[in-house]
Structures are given as structure tokens and as C-alpha cells.
Amino acid sequence: ATNFDIRNNCPLTIWAAAFPGGGRELSKGGVWNLKVSPGTTGARVSGRINCTFDKVGRGRCQTGDCGGLLQCRAYGAAPNTLAEFSLNQFNNLDFMDISLIEGFKVPIEFSPTSGGCSRGIRCTTDIIGQCPKEMKAPGGCNNPCTVYKTDQYCCNSGNCGPTDLSRFFKARCPDAYSYPKDNQTSTLICPSGTNYRVVFCP
């Protein structure tokens, strides 16, 4: 299994969400060691803010809520800064990215910690403070696809390009996906068997 070292460096509590993997409350400085099976695809780690859960893990989060459960069984609600990955794929490679396609919520760094793969990716700018007014959301900044749901922003028909609103995200986080076709600069590739670290507020 691949080990993901998920850390909270934020000055507030983050409820980490992983699909697959569940969820964990991380106070400042908290660490969650998550093991993920080889061959896992379409996986993601994100951070939820302002959550309240009861003893059996039912409740609500202001941002990133995943069905009212501490232990996520599905993707969380936008806006969400996402660390996305697919493990042990084509040519025995892992593919990772940071995505702002569901908006921005928590600054994040996603980096390899083993396997001779050294470059990490990050998105740490104050996007919430600079968020265009039509994109503002409680605790975050929406991506235009979430707000408008049109082909121009969501690339539903498969052919779309960058827009002024997607460029807002790209200018601030060049390592991250800003719209669905933003592949060239946004995917990190490492050999399978590499371990990784995801840091909130690096």
C-alpha cells in the first residue's frame, strides 16, 4: 500500500476527508497516516472547515461536507481544494494533481516523500481574500464551473479553453488544475511505490 502522510499546519482545526479512506479530525499540528491500496483511481484528499460531529460521526461542515459524515463515503461538496491521485496506472506510474476545478478552500501542498521523485506541487496563495465577488462562498471561493455549470467553464462537450475566471485561479496557483482541460502543466508523475505527503497550510 502507498502511505499518505496528511498534516494540518493551519491555525485552526481541519477535518481531513479522503475518498477512499474516510475522514479524521486534525487539530493544529495533527497528522493522519493513511494507507491506500495500489491501483486506486479517482482518489482525493481535501480539508473540511467548521464541522460539528456527534459521537457516531454524524454532523455537518461549512465547507467540503460529504453527506453529513465524518467518515466520507463519497466526494465532498464544493468549494474544495483537492489533492487528487491515481496509483499504479499506465507504465507502473502514479499520477497526482492539485485541482481547483471545485474551487478553493484550504492552501495545500502535495509532495512525494520517497522513491526518488522529488518535485512537489502547491497552491498557497490567498485566493479567498482575492476571490471575485460572483465566486465567493462561505469559507471558500467557487470555481466558475460550480457557479455557472456551462460548457464554457465545465468542458462537458470535451472542447473548451481557459477563461478569464479560470485564469484567475491559474495566475495564483500555476501548479493546479484551473479548468478541466488544464492538463499540460498540472499533473505530477512518480513511479508506483512512492509515498506522499499532503499538508494543509504548508
Side-chain angles (χ1 to χ4, degrees):
T2 295
N3 192 60
F4 282 79
D5 178 30
I6 302 168
R7 295 174 175 260
N8 177 24
N9 281 1
C10 299
L12 69 164
T13 299
I14 298 287
W15 284 261
F19 182 81
R24 181 76 57 93
E25 180 179 343
L26 296 177
S27 54
K28 183 183 177 184
V31 179
W32 178 20
N33 288 305
L34 177 67
K35 297 210 175 302
V36 181
S37 303
T40 297
T41 62
R44 52 170 60 178
V45 173
S46 62
R48 295 168 287 177
I49 293 176
N50 295 339
C51 302
T52 48
F53 292 105
D54 63 18
K55 287 180 185 153
V56 294
R58 294 188 176 278
R60 253 301 133 294
C61 296
Q62 180 190 34
T63 58
D65 190 80
C66 47
L69 300 173
L70 172 61
Q71 298 294 337
C72 293
R73 293 185 199 145
Y75 290 165
N80 242 342
T81 322
L82 303 173
E84 299 180 314
F85 57 93
S86 292
L87 303 176
N88 198 19
Q89 299 300 300
F90 178 73
N91 281 351
N92 293 321
L93 295 171
D94 294 344
F95 295 86
M96 294 80 57
D97 66 78
I98 292 173
S99 174
L100 303 179
I101 292 172
E102 293 186 9
F104 178 92
K105 181 178 54 199
V106 182
I108 201 167
E109 181 181 281
F110 192 3
S111 52
T113 57
S114 70
C117 197
S118 58
R119 187 177 95 82
I121 48 179
R122 55 181 15 215
C123 178
T124 58
T125 309
D126 177 25
I127 285 178
I128 294 174
Q130 302 168 16
C131 187
K133 65 178 184 300
E134 66 270 36
M135 301 291 118
K136 285 184 188 295
C141 183
N142 278 318
N143 185 280
C145 176
T146 306
V147 175
Y148 297 113
K149 300 180 172 55
T150 60
D151 200 37
Q152 176 188 10
Y153 297 114
C154 301
C155 303
N156 298 324
S157 67
N159 55 352
C160 75
T163 62
D164 286 346
L165 288 170
S166 75
R167 288 187 191 100
F168 163 81
F169 289 99
K170 196 66 178 177
R172 286 152 184 81
C173 284
D175 284 344
Y177 268 83
S178 59
Y179 74 101
K181 296 290 174 183
D182 193 7
N183 299 41
Q184 272 39 59
T185 57
S186 308
T187 305
L188 180 66
I189 301 170
C190 288
S192 295
T194 302
N195 293 316
Y196 300 97
R197 179 181 297 131
V198 176
V199 182
F200 302 117
C201 304

